[in-house]
Amino acid sequence: MTSGQLSRAGALACSGCRHACHVMLYCDTKTQLFGRIPIRHIILMQMRFDGLLGFPGGYVNPSEETLEAGLSRELLEELGVALPISAEDHVDCCHAPASSPSSTSRLITHFYVKKMEEEQIKEVEKEAASTATDHGQEVLGMVRVPLYNTKNGGGLAPFLSHSFIGNARSQLVDFLLRLDMIAPEELHKALAHSLKIHTHT
Ligand code: APR
Ligand code: MG
Ligand code: MG
């Protein structure tokens, strides 16, 4: 279900472009925080070595491997689990802004979304903290995205006020809406509040 301005095939036709693939792994859950706030979904992100939040994944070289095989390889390193990713899970790709005015190789970022069972997500969290080779090095830890807003303004708003790598924040916000994981009014409230948190720190 690739969408956006760049198609998967168009992206792969770009000569001299570098590619990075990242995935949003998620599941539904009936768990409630404090026994009363529905968590609704578990969405996995990670605290990276550079102190930024991002999705699992990384650089892929399409002349050596398919995008999906490369993403699976990155997931094995970062999560410690061999997760099959299919071209059908590819939901978006776009040109990343140039990292510096002189940078010559353009980066295309591919985004995938994969829905899993709650038990599988918990298994990923367990392996990511134990057997993953990148644990404690490129990946400092997995984090769940709090989708709720508490009475005191906790939850999604402070989460969104952190710093994210590349376009990870907009990928998250975009797919929360597209996958109907949060009501648009609730998301817009959290976005507005997250900006206020930013300006006060
Ligand atoms: N999440 C993470 N990174 C993203 C995202 C996203 N949602 N979207 C785009 N990117 C971009 C970032 O600019 C990032 O630097 O993709 C780039 C590559 O992704 P990484 O996950 O950082 O790549 P990985 O192959 O896992 O790690 C290699 O080691 O050599 C260093 O600094 C180098 O970050 C690089 C890392
Ligand atoms: Mg990696
Ligand atoms: Mg990575």
Side-chain angles (χ1 to χ4, degrees):
M1 70 166 184
T2 308
S3 62
Q5 289 166 336
L6 200 56
S7 71
R8 185 177 180 281
L12 286 170
C14 173
S15 67
C17 281
R18 300 185 76 198
H19 298 262
C21 298
H22 293 88
V23 64
M24 180 168 99
L25 301 174
Y26 78 101
C27 69
D28 297 337
T29 182
K30 292 193 165 36
T31 312
Q32 298 197 331
L33 174 66
F34 310 135
R36 61 187 159 79
I37 301 176
I39 286 172
R40 300 199 293 252
H41 305 280
I42 300 173
I43 300 174
L44 294 186
M45 293 193 76
Q46 63 188 19
M47 177 55 72
R48 298 159 43 94
F49 66 94
D50 50 16
L52 301 173
L53 290 166
F55 288 100
Y59 289 114
V60 170
N61 184 349
S63 66
E64 291 173 0
E65 56 191 349
T66 64
L67 292 175
E68 290 74 29
L71 176 54
S72 291
R73 174 184 50 70
E74 279 292 332
L75 296 181
L76 183 59
E77 292 166 11
E78 298 186 0
L79 305 176
V81 180
L83 283 176
I85 302 290
S86 108
E88 284 173 19
D89 303 322
H90 187 281
V91 291
D92 204 24
C93 57
C94 61
H95 285 286
S99 51
S100 73
S102 59
S103 92
T104 48
S105 75
R106 288 190 300 161
L107 177 67
I108 295 180
T109 57
H110 299 264
F111 196 53
Y112 293 75
V113 170
K114 189 174 170 70
K115 187 169 185 185
M116 301 172 73
E117 296 300 322
E118 187 168 1
E119 282 317 305
Q120 292 177 297
I121 289 279
K122 288 183 175 169
E123 185 63 20
V124 168
E125 290 178 313
K126 209 173 96 191
E127 296 302 321
S130 51
T131 59
T133 52
D134 282 352
H135 177 66
Q137 297 180 44
E138 281 187 38
V139 182
L140 302 183
M142 300 306 295
V143 295
R144 296 180 179 193
V145 179
L147 283 181
Y148 43 80
N149 294 298
T150 68
K151 271 186 282 182
N152 303 331
L156 187 58
F159 185 83
L160 291 174
S161 77
H162 292 303
S163 298
F164 291 78
I165 182 75
N167 50 359
R169 185 178 185 271
S170 60
Q171 286 167 332
L172 172 66
V173 167
D174 194 14
F175 280 88
L176 287 182
L177 279 180
R178 281 164 70 168
L179 297 171
D180 232 356
M181 289 195 188
I182 189 166
E185 326 68 82
E186 219 183 317
L187 179 64
H188 291 132
K189 213 170 88 181
L191 281 169
H193 187 215
S194 76
L195 293 177
K196 279 189 213 148
I197 297 172
H198 238 306
T199 48
H200 286 106
T201 49

